[in-house]
Amino acid sequence: LLKVIIGLLPIQTKKVSIPVSVQTSETPLGGGNFTTSWTTLSCPVFDKSVCTPMIFCGVVTIFMAYLAVVQMRIYSPDEVFDEYLESVKSKLVEPPSESSSDEEVELCA
């Protein structure tokens, strides 16, 4: 939706342009030679097809940076890690006692 709205805005400038040579005709001559005619066009650098994606990417980047800062304030990394560590510790199985390991060794021997 944002890209559509930005596309509707008249954001372009024709002040900055680059010269682009375009071949208009080619005339063959004898012996494999030929002559060509060129026209130089002045192409705008910042037209609508360039400005719309540039502004869209800038807005999305700024919004993502804002969200990252807000999320960092809500969920500080140390609190989240501490909660995760406690949940992992609670899921771990207690190690077997030494007496059971001795019995298993005697059975194997």
Side-chain angles (χ1 to χ4, degrees), residues 7 15 27 34 39 53 57 60 64 66 68-69 77 92 95-96 99 102 108:
K15 292 179 183 176
T27 308
F34 57 90
T39 301
C57 290
V60 168
M64 288 176 68
Y66 168 75
V69 170
L92 289 176
S99 62
D102 291 340
C108 294

Side-chain angles (χ1 to χ4, degrees), residues 1-3 7 19 23-24 27 30-31 48-49 55 59-61 67 69 75 81 87 92 94 97 103 105-106:
L1 183 62
L2 178 64
K3 199 167 189 177
Q23 182 178 352
T24 55
T27 308
K48 196 169 195 168
S49 65
I55 292 176
V59 169
V60 168
T61 303
L67 281 179
V69 170
Y75 303 106
F81 178 74
S87 69
L92 289 176
E94 292 183 15
S97 64
E103 292 172 5
V105 171
E106 290 174 7

Side-chain angles (χ1 to χ4, degrees), residues 12-34:
Q12 61 184 357
T13 179
K14 296 189 182 210
K15 292 179 183 176
V16 180
S17 61
I18 55 172
V20 177
S21 299
V22 178
Q23 182 178 352
T24 55
S25 67
E26 182 178 315
T27 308
L29 300 174
N33 296 327
F34 57 90

Side-chain angles (χ1 to χ4, degrees), residues 66-97:
Y66 168 75
L67 281 179
V69 170
V70 168
Q71 291 297 320
M72 185 182 67
R73 289 181 183 167
I74 293 173
Y75 303 106
S76 65
D78 58 342
E79 291 175 8
V80 173
F81 178 74
D82 290 341
E83 291 173 7
Y84 176 73
L85 185 61
E86 290 300 321
S87 69
V88 169
K89 283 181 180 179
S90 67
K91 292 178 184 177
L92 289 176
V93 179
E94 292 183 15
S97 64

